[in-house]
């Protein structure tokens, strides 16, 4: 299934996008795709309703596409998780996942305007595979347990301000948590439709020029390892989002450092997970 949320910010309604392109109203099953929905077996109940044919049609015409998950409890990010990206930034290949947190309030819709912070000169892009947690996970012992805790996958843009991130603090949070810095969606795709997440290709372009073209097979730490690893140090709750890292091609690693400016357009996609498009503006 593909789970979507349509409507103005703060007024989104849950819908299901079918393989044949129909949009179906999911409000008879849940009021939103939030922590309560995932924790309460909502994905299974929604699938049953879809198979039973009880979900009425919904008209998506003219409606904004919101993030497919209502405000997550936390956004956990993995840095330097592709060998080529670590190399382009001059960083050593990590021997353990590099973990940092991102303000959940950064999560916006996949086509929402992204704001370049005031005083920013180094706003950057990062196409990433996002993992959404579907069941409470703590001290997981196997990759199988880890993947069983995943509700689905989505396209994520881990927008970053590199000066704030790397020069203003010993922590990365300042450059990662600016408003609108995490477009997510257009939909959440359940694992049965995705298959092996390590086979997914990731791409990003800026103003029509390809900047990133990688594959999740090149992750240093795969999805199962990341979820299992994180569960040793924090409790992962239903609806939490994990950004799993980005391949080479970010502005920080390019020779001319072509950081984003107001009016720039970024387009990104991941195989089987859909596409995003954002225009950047000055905050």
């Amino acid at each position: 299934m593909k789970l979507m949320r349509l409507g103005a910010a703060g007024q989104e309604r849950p819908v299901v996008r079918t393989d044949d392109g129909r949009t179906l109203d999911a409000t008879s099953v849940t009021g939103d795709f939030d922590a309560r929905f995932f924790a309460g077996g909502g994905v299974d109940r929604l699938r049953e309703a879809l198979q039973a044919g009880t979900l009425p049609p919904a008209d998506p015409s003219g409606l904004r596409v919101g993030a497919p998950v209502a405000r997550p409890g936390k956004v956990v990010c993995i840095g330097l998780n592709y060998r080529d990206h670590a190399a382009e930034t001059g960083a050593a290949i990590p021997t353990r996942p590099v973990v940092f947190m991102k303000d959940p309030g950064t999560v916006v819709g996949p086509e929402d305007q992204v704001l370049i912070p005031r005083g920013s000169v180094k706003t950057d892009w990062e196409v990433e595979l996002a993992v959404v947690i579907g069941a409470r996970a703590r001290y997981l012992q196997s990759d199988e347990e880890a993947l069983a805790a995943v509700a689905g996958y989505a396209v994520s843009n881990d927008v970053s301000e590199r000066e704030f991130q790397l020069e203003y603090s010993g922590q990365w949070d300042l450059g990662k948590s600016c408003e609108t810095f995490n477009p997510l969606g257009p939909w959440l795709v359940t694992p049965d439709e995705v298959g092996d997440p390590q086979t997914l290709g990731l791409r990003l372009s800026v103003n029509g020029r390809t900047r990133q073209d990688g594959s999740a097979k090149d992750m240093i730490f795969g999805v199962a390892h990341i979820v299992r690893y994180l569960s040793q140090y924090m409790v992962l709750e239903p609806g939490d989002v994990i950004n799993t890292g980005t391949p080479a091609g970010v502005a920080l690693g390019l020779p001319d450092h072509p950081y984003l400016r107001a009016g720039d357009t970024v387009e990104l996609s991941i195989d089987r997970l859909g596409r995003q498009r954002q225009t950047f503006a000055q905050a």
Side-chain angles (χ1 to χ4, degrees):
M1 291 186 298
K2 295 181 177 68
L3 281 57
M4 296 181 69
R5 298 169 65 246
L6 301 177
Q11 302 177 36
E12 296 94 342
R13 293 170 62 87
V15 301
V16 175
R17 177 88 168 184
T18 65
D19 290 341
D20 58 5
R22 293 176 297 143
T23 303
L24 305 178
D25 189 336
T27 54
S28 61
V29 175
T30 181
D32 210 343
F33 296 140
D34 54 14
R36 179 179 295 184
F37 167 79
F38 293 110
V43 173
D44 290 337
R45 289 187 287 110
L46 191 60
R47 182 176 286 110
E48 291 171 1
L50 179 62
Q51 293 172 346
T54 60
L55 300 179
D59 184 2
S61 302
L63 294 179
R64 165 186 171 270
V65 178
V69 179
R71 183 175 174 135
K74 55 183 173 288
V75 177
V76 189
C77 303
I78 308 299
L80 304 173
N81 196 30
Y82 287 72
R83 288 176 177 81
D84 56 1
H85 175 55
E88 73 173 346
T89 62
I93 302 298
T95 57
R96 295 166 67 94
V98 176
V99 180
F100 63 94
M101 310 294 284
K102 192 163 189 168
D103 178 4
T106 59
V107 174
V108 295
E111 297 186 358
D112 286 350
Q113 187 179 71
V114 176
L115 298 177
I116 296 174
R118 296 176 186 179
S120 168
V121 294
K122 297 182 179 181
T123 294
D124 206 346
W125 58 81
E126 292 189 12
V127 59
E128 305 206 6
L129 171 63
V131 176
V132 176
I133 297 299
R136 197 169 194 261
R138 56 189 293 273
Y139 298 113
L140 301 175
Q141 295 302 304
S142 69
D143 287 353
E144 291 74 20
E145 283 186 297
L147 292 176
V150 173
Y153 303 93
V155 183
S156 182
N157 190 353
D158 178 20
V159 185
S160 308
E161 211 299 340
R162 302 303 188 185
E163 186 177 34
F164 298 0
Q165 175 190 353
L166 301 173
E167 301 174 40
Y168 286 3
S169 171
Q171 303 293 325
W172 289 3
D173 302 53
L174 293 182
K176 295 288 188 172
S177 291
C178 304
E179 61 179 332
T180 71
F181 261 29
N182 203 142
L184 187 68
W187 37 62
L188 176 69
V189 185
T190 51
D192 57 301
E193 288 199 17
V194 174
D196 182 357
Q198 305 308 146
T199 65
L200 300 175
L202 303 84
R203 291 162 295 276
L204 180 145
S205 65
V206 181
N207 299 327
R209 180 175 180 180
T210 298
R211 292 298 191 179
Q212 293 183 276
D213 188 357
S215 171
K217 70 181 180 182
D218 297 323
M219 285 184 183
I220 300 169
F221 307 103
V223 168
H225 182 97
I226 290 168
V227 174
R228 179 167 54 83
Y229 180 84
L230 292 175
S231 77
Q232 311 306 309
Y233 303 98
M234 65 184 76
V235 178
L236 299 172
E237 299 286 359
D240 285 351
V241 173
I242 303 171
N243 288 333
T244 58
T246 197
V250 299
L252 175 66
L254 293 172
D256 54 344
H257 303 305
Y259 291 110
L260 294 164
R261 298 290 182 261
D264 285 346
T265 297
V266 174
E267 297 181 78
L268 49 158
S269 65
I270 298 180
D271 295 342
R272 302 194 289 278
L273 302 184
R275 307 180 64 85
Q276 295 186 1
R277 184 180 188 275
Q278 300 104 34
T279 299
F280 282 64
Q282 189 62 51

